[in-house]
Amino acid sequence: MLTNSHQLIEIDANTLNQLLAEQKVTLIDVREPAEYAGEHIKDATLMPLSTFNPTEVKLITGKQLVLYCHSGNRSRKAAQKLLDFGLQEITQLRGGIATWKQAGYPTIINKNAPISIMRQVQIVAGSLVFLGTVLGAFVSPGFLILSGFVGAGLVFAGITGTCAMGLLLANLPYNQVKN
């Protein structure tokens, strides 16, 4: 919980762009390595939330620390870790890289990077549901359990914000991106 002396400040894409142009910001991307490898804001440093350690954040006098992720949820969690660590004020990009791109600002894109974990989850989950349904209809109704299991997993992921399939896929060799 944030106290009066600890606060999270949100800035919009226009403000971040101005700070970057003036070289007054240390920008940290808290998404996972595969996401960062696929696309990121220029001059951003990767510090994934899954391994985020406040002691590794390098504060530079005269520069504002700004965190971002895809939509703002993970950067908010990283900001809370920094506030709990003792920093008084943390800034995040409101809406994450999605709002940065929506505002028309450029990103560094790597066409050879693996597709996003979320898309991989959608492909695998959709394939398993389809397979379970087809096998349930033509082989044995018992295969419908597969579709139900995947559906239950997706509901759990939506409620908790934790996707077991995404965590599993993130650990596959082709999703391992060296920093």
Side-chain angles (χ1 to χ4, degrees):
M1 174 157 221
L2 302 179
T3 64
N4 289 339
S5 62
H6 293 80
Q7 61 179 337
L8 174 62
I9 299 168
E10 290 192 327
I11 60 172
D12 61 19
N14 294 330
T15 304
L16 177 58
N17 187 56
Q18 182 179 354
L19 289 170
L20 285 169
E22 296 170 358
Q23 298 182 343
K24 292 183 178 178
V25 67
T26 299
L27 187 60
I28 297 178
D29 186 329
V30 298
R31 297 172 305 147
E32 294 305 307
E35 294 172 283
Y36 178 88
E39 182 174 29
H40 62 273
I41 299 171
K42 184 180 180 210
D43 297 328
T45 300
L46 175 64
M47 294 187 76
L49 179 62
S50 61
T51 58
F52 192 82
N53 183 348
T55 62
E56 294 176 0
V57 174
K58 292 176 179 54
L59 300 174
I60 300 171
T61 304
K63 289 196 174 194
Q64 185 174 355
L65 178 65
V66 179
L67 307 176
Y68 81 92
C69 61
H70 178 73
S71 64
N73 292 330
R74 287 178 281 180
S75 58
R76 190 172 295 109
K77 290 176 184 176
Q80 188 60 56
K81 287 183 177 191
L82 289 166
L83 292 168
D84 291 344
F85 181 67
L87 295 179
Q88 299 297 308
E89 185 178 287
I90 304 299
T91 305
Q92 79 166 4
L93 173 60
R94 182 183 311 114
I97 195 171
T99 59
W100 176 264
K101 293 183 340 184
Q102 195 173 36
Y105 294 118
T107 57
I108 307 295
I109 297 174
N110 178 357
K111 299 279 187 200
N112 297 321
I115 62 173
S116 74
I117 297 297
M118 200 65 233
R119 283 185 55 206
Q120 291 180 49
V121 167
Q122 292 167 338
I123 291 166
V124 172
S127 298
L128 289 172
V129 169
F130 179 73
L131 180 66
T133 303
V134 169
L135 291 174
F138 296 109
V139 177
S140 168
F143 282 107
L144 293 173
I145 292 172
L146 176 61
S147 298
F149 180 74
V150 172
L154 292 172
V155 169
F156 177 80
I159 292 170
T160 65
T162 303
C163 181
M165 188 181 297
L167 294 172
L168 180 85
L169 289 170
N171 288 312
L172 293 176
Y174 60 84
N175 283 324
Q176 301 305 306
V177 178
K178 292 181 174 72
N179 292 342

